[in-house]
Amino acid sequence: MSTLNILSDPEPAPRQRLPKWLKRPLPKPGMSYTSHVIDDLNLVTVCESAKCPNRTECWSHKTATLMILGNVCTRPCGFCSIAKGKTETVQIDEPERVAEAAERLGLKHVVITSVTRDDLPDGGADHFYNCILAVRERTGADIEVLTPDFRGDRKAIHRVIEARPDVFNHNTETVPRLYHRVRRNAVYQRTLDLLIQVKETDPSIATKSGLMLGLGETREEVLEVCADLRAAGCDMITIGQYLQPTPENLPVERFLPPEEFDEVGDQVRAMGFKLVASGPFVRSSYNAGEMAAVLGTDS
């Protein structure tokens, strides 16, 4: 079996030139409307904060992933460009503003994520609960949450489950061997345990996780993680190319061609996942509504 490059703690490398298959389309008219709604309601999106390469396409289609609990994270992950440091005060009216944004954008499937807030007693779980209820009451839309791990606090995780999101997403991000530099302060088993808890508590909630490739993992390691996720009852998985968002973040060790993503996707589908999305531009919330619709969570 072929493998991805193996590099343990490599020296910083210069940013590589993007291959031709990683070029993105120019903005379209709908993008300015999405930007106006986000700015008008003083909201934050992970699209901007994490420098997502799909922002142009998604915003042109009047969709965005809304990020709650501020724009400063308490975790020093090596792959992420979101600011780290002193966190912001939780805004009590944010759930209503998130709901209004979903209504004004006409979203039928709303994705809500957040920074990690280890400074809060419940990690922000109750705020997630309030956002889910506000969006559902105002729009009737299906709701997907992409949450942090809440430090493994089962009560906090249960609080989000109580709001009954249609999809509960928590990303694995990478293979266990690379956690110490890619996903510092996270614990691999904690991620699996969160997904297990969701399924055990409410089997009707679809569970989802995501992986980035190109950080020095091997094909065998990727497949082992996917097998662990399937054993945890995970329904959907996304597998995409890691792209270095800023020079301060971890460098890309390898750009995988589309055909290799197809190979990985086929191997992972054979494990029994209900839905697998594998490709260079695949992200956790990219085309999330379409994925949920295929799975049957959308009405």
Side-chain angles (χ1 to χ4, degrees), residues 26-70:
L26 294 173
K28 297 179 181 179
M31 186 171 179
S32 60
Y33 178 77
T34 303
S35 180
H36 169 72
V37 171
I38 298 302
D39 291 344
D40 189 45
L41 294 172
N42 193 29
L43 292 171
V44 177
T45 69
V46 73
C47 323
E48 292 179 290
S49 297
K51 304 187 187 306
C52 178
N54 299 319
R55 183 172 74 96
T56 297
E57 179 183 347
C58 295
W59 283 31
S60 294
H61 294 155
K62 298 182 181 179
T63 184
T65 298
L66 302 168
M67 190 166 75
I68 61 175
L69 294 167

Side-chain angles (χ1 to χ4, degrees), residues 176-188:
R177 177 174 60 84
L178 301 179
Y179 261 48
H180 70 286
R181 64 188 182 91
V182 175
R183 200 180 173 206
R184 295 189 292 271
N185 295 346
V187 180
Y188 179 66

